[in-house]
Amino acid sequence: MRKLLIFSTVLLTLISMLYSCQTAEKVEQDAYYVNGRDIYIAQCQNCHGEKGEGLAELSPPITDTVWMKKNRSLLACIIKHGYATPVTIHGKVYEGKMPDFNMADIDLTQIIVYVTNTFGHKQGKYTTEQVAKDLQNCK
Amino acid sequence: MRDTKAIKNSDGSAGVDTVYQTIPAFKLLNQDSVYITNEHFKNKIYIADFFFTSCNTICPIMHRNLKKIYGKFADNPDVMFLSHTIDFKYDTPSRLKTYARKLGVDGPKWQFVYGPKDTVYGLATKSYLVSVEADSTDKQGYVHQGYLVLIDKDRRIRGAYDGTNPEQVAQLEKDIPVLLAEDKK
C-alpha cells in the first residue's frame, strides 16, 4: 500500500511536470494574444473595427480567413512599414493607404498572434523569431 | 457655465435668458467643388465636425459613429451633416469626394467642405468651439478635438458630443429628435 502511494505520488508529480512543460509555450502564446488584443484596441481598432469589420471602403476588414492564411508572413512588414498596394478582401478591392506603426518585434508578434486567432481565424502560434525573419523580406 | 443676458419677464420681473453661441455666415467649397453657405442648412438642423482624410487616429472613430447616425436619419430631410477638413494643404474637394464615396456617403445630405486655413480654423475655434491646430511635432501634422457639434435651425450650438465616446454619441442620437420636435412647435 505504501509503495503504491509513493509510486502514485511520484507519477502524479511527473505527469504534472510534463503537463506544465507542454503548456509553457501555450502560456506564452496566451500572453501574446492578450497583449496583442490590448495593442489592437489602442492602435488598430479605430480603422479596422471592434470585430475586425473594417470601415466602409476606407479600411479593409481583417476577417478574410483565406487572405489571412496566405499572407500571415507579410503582416509584420505591413504593420511596421505601412501598406499602399491595393488589396482584395472578400472579393472587394481596397485602395487606401495604411500608415506605418513602428513597433518592436515583440509587439508585432503579439498583434499577429491576436489577429490570426480572433475574428474567425485559428492559425495558432507565432514567434518573435518568425517576425524577425519576416521583416528581413520586406519589400 | 452658460452665457446669459438679463431680460424682463412678461410679468415685469427680472430674469435671465441663455445667450447661445451662434455660427456666423460662411462660404466653403464642398466635395463637388461647389460653394456652400448657411443657406444650404436653412431651416434644418445639422451636425458639424472637423477632421482630415488622412487622419488615422480619432477621425475613423468619429466618422464610424457619425455614419451610424447618418443612417438612422437618412430619410429625414431636416437633418444634415457638415464635415470640415483641417488639412488645407492636401484635402482638395476631389480628395473629399473620394473620401465620401469610400465612407459610403453620397448626395447633399452630408457635406464635406474645404476652405483656407484661417477660415476653417477660425470657424472651428471661434464659432464651433472645437480646438484645431496645425502641429509640426505631431506625426500627422494636425491635432484636433473630435466633437460632433449639434446646430439648430437658428444656427445656434445646442450640444457638443465627443465623437469617439459611444455614450455621448448615443446621447446625440437621442437629442436630435428632441431638437426636431422643438422646432415643430
Side-chain angles (χ1 to χ4, degrees), chain B residues 44-70:
Chain B
K44 297 180 190 298
I45 69 170
Y46 69 95
I47 296 141
D49 73 349
F50 294 83
F51 84 114
F52 55 105
T53 62
S54 55
C55 159
N56 55 42
T57 51
I58 63 171
C59 309
I61 308 174
M62 288 159 63
H63 280 177
R64 184 191 298 276
N65 291 330
L66 197 54
K67 202 187 154 198
K68 276 187 203 139
I69 294 183
Y70 172 83

Side-chain angles (χ1 to χ4, degrees), chain B residues 5-162:
Chain B
K5 64 180 176 189
I7 55 149
K8 199 176 259 183
N9 291 326
S10 52
D11 61 1
S13 63
V16 289
D17 200 359
T18 306
V19 177
Y20 284 106
Q21 174 78 5
T22 306
I23 308 304
F26 60 80
K27 188 183 176 193
L28 299 160
L29 267 185
N30 77 355
Q31 71 269 35
D32 297 312
S33 290
V34 174
Y35 276 112
I36 61 157
T37 65
N38 310 70
E39 281 300 301
H40 194 86
F41 302 94
K42 200 173 179 184
N43 293 322
K44 297 180 190 298
I45 69 170
Y46 69 95
I47 296 141
D49 73 349
F50 294 83
F51 84 114
F52 55 105
T53 62
S54 55
C55 159
N56 55 42
T57 51
I58 63 171
C59 309
I61 308 174
M62 288 159 63
H63 280 177
R64 184 191 298 276
N65 291 330
L66 197 54
K67 202 187 154 198
K68 276 187 203 139
I69 294 183
Y70 172 83
K72 290 247 163 69
F73 295 92
D75 299 328
N76 191 330
D78 290 337
V79 181
M80 296 196 59
F81 298 83
L82 174 60
S83 290
H84 306 72
T85 178
I86 58 167
D87 189 348
F88 50 93
K89 290 179 191 154
Y90 181 82
D91 280 345
T92 54
S94 70
R95 290 250 179 228
L96 294 174
K97 183 78 177 173
T98 308
Y99 179 87
R101 182 178 55 76
K102 286 187 175 175
L103 186 63
V105 171
D106 195 19
K109 191 181 183 69
W110 190 339
Q111 296 288 326
F112 295 83
V113 293
Y114 162 89
K117 184 184 178 190
D118 291 349
T119 311
V120 173
Y121 285 41
L123 271 172
T125 52
K126 295 198 184 75
S127 305
Y128 290 100
L129 308 180
V130 176
S131 177
V132 301
E133 210 178 325
D135 181 353
S136 56
T137 60
D138 182 79
K139 192 182 169 197
Q140 295 208 293
Y142 303 94
V143 278
H144 66 119
Q145 288 179 315
Y147 283 112
L148 306 173
V149 188
L150 181 61
I151 310 295
D152 71 10
K153 292 183 182 179
D154 297 313
R155 305 194 334 206
R156 302 176 301 192
I157 293 183
R158 299 299 289 271
Y161 311 81
D162 182 346

Side-chain angles (χ1 to χ4, degrees), chain A:
Chain A
M1 181 68 204
R2 198 166 156 236
K3 254 188 184 167
L4 185 73
L5 206 69
I6 293 172
F7 179 72
S8 57
T9 312
V10 169
L11 196 71
L12 207 71
T13 315
L14 279 172
I15 288 171
S16 64
M17 273 166 75
L18 201 69
Y19 187 70
S20 57
C21 276
Q22 277 176 332
T23 56
E25 188 177 56
K26 190 168 182 314
V27 167
E28 185 188 67
Q29 287 292 317
D30 286 351
Y32 281 5
Y33 181 90
V34 173
N35 292 340
R37 183 170 60 195
D38 286 345
I39 304 173
Y40 180 85
I41 291 169
Q43 308 269 5
C44 319
Q45 183 170 295
N46 53 355
C47 291
H48 290 293
E50 211 176 320
K51 300 184 181 76
E53 75 275 21
L55 176 53
E57 279 179 50
L58 291 166
S59 315
I62 47 176
T63 50
D64 187 332
T65 43
V66 176
W67 192 94
M68 268 317 211
K69 236 190 178 109
K70 221 167 76 189
N71 295 290
R72 183 164 71 161
S73 60
L74 293 180
L75 295 178
C77 295
I78 292 175
I79 300 165
K80 186 161 181 150
H81 301 299
Y83 204 63
T85 319
V87 283
T88 308
I89 308 283
H90 296 304
K92 212 165 143 193
V93 182
Y94 293 83
E95 300 172 320
K97 205 172 118 199
M98 170 158 157
D100 57 292
F101 295 87
N102 195 7
M103 292 177 186
D105 289 5
I106 178 72
D107 293 334
L108 293 168
T109 312
Q110 290 175 341
I111 293 179
I112 292 169
V113 167
Y114 178 66
V115 298
T116 56
N117 288 288
T118 186
F119 310 137
H121 308 294
K122 249 196 184 125
Q123 298 199 41
K125 67 167 192 155
Y126 214 62
T127 61
T128 46
E129 288 78 20
Q130 279 170 291
V131 164
K133 209 173 125 230
D134 291 344
L135 288 174
Q136 284 170 2
N137 300 322
C138 287
K139 281 174 213 147

